[in-house]
Amino acid sequence: MTVVKSIELVIPNDVYISGSTVEGQLVLSLHNTLVDPLLKVELIGRGYLEWIEEDNVYKDYSRPATCVNKADYVQKSKTFKVKGNWLGPGVHTFDFHFVLPPRIPSTFSSRIGRVSYFLQALCATRELILGKQTKYLLVQGTSIFHQDDVESESPLEVEVEKVLSYNCCFKSAPISLHISLNKNVFAPGDNITFTTQIINPTGKSIKKVIFTLLSVVLYKGVNLKAENRTLEVRDEIARLESHINRGSCAIARIHSVLSLPKVMPVTSSPKMEGIMDIAYELTGAIYFPWCMNSVVAKIPIVVRYEAVIPDE
C-alpha cells in the first residue's frame, strides 16, 4: 500500500479569462505519515502545430516534409512549505493561486494544432513520485485593442448573383442570394441572427439552403530547411439546414440563428502575433433538385472578447 491515498486539484471555475486569477486547492490524502515531502502545483500553457506537406512539388520526385511550430504561453509553479517537514495520516489541503498572462490565446484543438492549459500537482520524495494529477483548464483569450480603434470594417450584408440554366438548358435566369446581419462583431457564446433573401425567377423549386459557420485558420510553421511555411484550413463550427417547402416561389426569406461556442479563439488582428491567425466566415449555399450547380454567399464574422487598453 502506497503512502498517498489520493491527490486532487480542486478549482471553482469552468472557464478562465486571460489575465484572470486561477485559485484552487491541492487536496492530499495519506494512508501513513509522510516525511520530507515535495508538494508542488504547476500552471502550464503551450501551443503546438504539426502538418505534412509535399516537398519538391514542381519536380518529378517529391517527399513529405514536416512543418512544425510551438509556443510557451505560461509556466508558473508553487512549492508548498510543510511545517516540521512531515505530514500525518489523513487529509491535507493547500491553497494556491496563479495569475494568467493578459495576452494568451484561447484553448484550441484541431487536427493540425492545439493550445492547451493545465494544472499539474505532484507529491514526491527525493527518490520517487508518490502521486500526481493533471487538470486541464478552459481559457478564453481576449481581444487587445485601443479605445479609438475602428470596431470593424467587415460588411453587414453580402449579395451573390449567378445565372443558371434550366428546362433542359434552353432557358437561363439569374439566382440571387442575399445575407444580412444586424451586427458583425460577436462574443463567444453569442447567437448570430441573420436574414437570407433568395430571388428565384426560374419558376423551379429550391431543394434546400445550408448555412455554415467556418473557422479559417492560417497555421504558421517551419520545415526542416528552416523555411517559413503556412497552411490555411477551414473547419465547420456550426451548421443549419433549411428546407423551403413553398414550391416555386420567386422570393423567399429565411430568418436563422447560429450559436457560437462559449470558449473559442478571437479573430486575429494585425497587432497579434503567434503560431496561427484566426478568422470566421458565415456561408449560405442554395441547392436545386434540377441543377448540379449551387449559389454560395460568404460574409465574414468578427469574434471579440473585449479587453480595452486606455489610449496613451
Side-chain angles (χ1 to χ4, degrees):
M1 183 174 61
T2 60
V3 176
V4 175
K5 182 179 180 180
S6 66
I7 182 170
E8 184 182 4
L9 286 163
V10 179
I11 55 175
N13 297 344
D14 295 327
V15 179
Y16 291 88
I17 310 303
S18 62
S20 66
T21 301
V22 180
E23 295 181 331
Q25 286 186 326
L26 168 62
V27 181
L28 180 68
S29 179
L30 300 177
H31 286 290
N32 304 309
T33 299
L34 179 60
V35 179
D36 196 19
L38 170 63
L39 290 173
K40 183 169 68 172
V41 175
E42 290 182 294
L43 171 64
I44 299 172
R46 296 170 178 158
Y48 183 74
L49 309 177
E50 181 177 348
W51 75 90
I52 296 175
E53 65 180 15
E54 292 296 321
D55 195 11
N56 300 321
V57 292
Y58 299 107
K59 297 182 180 181
D60 294 336
Y61 64 93
S62 64
R63 63 172 180 263
T66 302
C67 302
V68 298
N69 204 349
K70 62 180 180 179
D72 293 320
Y73 300 116
V74 57
Q75 184 161 3
K76 299 182 179 183
S77 65
K78 167 70 174 179
T79 301
F80 300 101
K81 294 182 179 180
V82 178
K83 186 177 180 179
N85 214 27
W86 65 275
L87 294 171
V91 177
H92 306 270
T93 60
F94 303 87
D95 296 329
F96 64 86
H97 73 273
F98 299 105
V99 178
L100 290 167
R103 300 191 182 187
I104 53 175
S106 303
T107 300
F108 174 84
S109 180
S110 74
R111 60 185 178 86
I112 301 295
R114 65 181 180 272
V115 175
S116 59
Y117 301 90
F118 57 93
L119 292 168
Q120 188 168 269
L122 178 70
C123 176
T125 64
R126 295 179 180 178
E127 292 80 20
L128 73 159
I129 296 174
L130 301 175
K132 62 180 179 179
Q133 189 197 32
T134 300
K135 182 180 284 289
Y136 283 86
L137 307 178
L138 284 176
V139 174
Q140 174 60 56
T142 54
S143 304
I144 306 299
F145 64 99
H146 287 83
Q147 291 178 343
D148 61 351
D149 282 355
V150 176
E151 271 292 298
S152 173
E153 297 180 356
S154 301
L156 286 171
E157 57 184 46
V158 64
E159 184 172 357
V160 173
E161 186 177 273
K162 188 174 183 179
V163 177
L164 298 181
S165 299
Y166 62 103
N167 282 354
C168 300
C169 298
F170 290 113
K171 293 184 178 181
S172 61
I175 310 293
S176 175
L177 172 59
H178 182 275
I179 300 177
S180 61
L181 302 164
N182 292 329
K183 62 176 184 176
N184 54 11
V185 179
F186 301 89
D190 282 354
N191 289 330
I192 301 175
T193 303
F194 57 98
T195 301
T196 304
Q197 178 173 283
I198 302 168
I199 300 178
N200 174 23
T202 64
K204 297 286 187 177
S205 62
I206 294 173
K207 182 178 181 181
K208 59 186 175 182
V209 184
I210 296 179
F211 303 101
T212 53
L213 178 64
L214 303 174
S215 65
V216 185
V217 185
L218 182 68
Y219 297 101
K220 305 173 184 178
V222 179
N223 62 17
L224 296 177
K225 299 178 182 178
E227 298 171 331
N228 293 325
R229 310 298 292 171
T230 59
L231 176 67
E232 184 177 281
V233 178
R234 295 169 178 262
D235 287 319
E236 186 177 299
I237 299 174
R239 181 184 182 92
L240 179 64
E241 187 171 315
S242 297
H243 293 269
I244 300 177
N245 299 317
R246 289 174 289 176
S248 56
C249 56
I251 299 178
R253 289 184 177 88
I254 306 171
H255 300 282
S256 308
V257 178
L258 284 172
S259 298
L260 292 174
K262 293 183 178 181
V263 176
M264 61 190 302
V266 296
T267 301
S268 299
S269 71
K271 300 176 183 178
M272 297 174 65
E273 296 181 359
I275 60 177
M276 65 182 81
D277 289 335
I278 307 286
Y280 296 95
E281 186 178 85
L282 176 64
T283 298
I286 310 173
Y287 296 91
F288 307 91
W290 44 270
C291 180
M292 296 297 294
N293 293 322
S294 60
V295 180
V296 179
K298 302 176 181 180
I299 187 167
I301 298 295
V302 177
V303 176
R304 171 175 288 167
Y305 198 96
E306 296 186 357
V308 178
I309 299 176
D311 297 326
E312 297 179 357

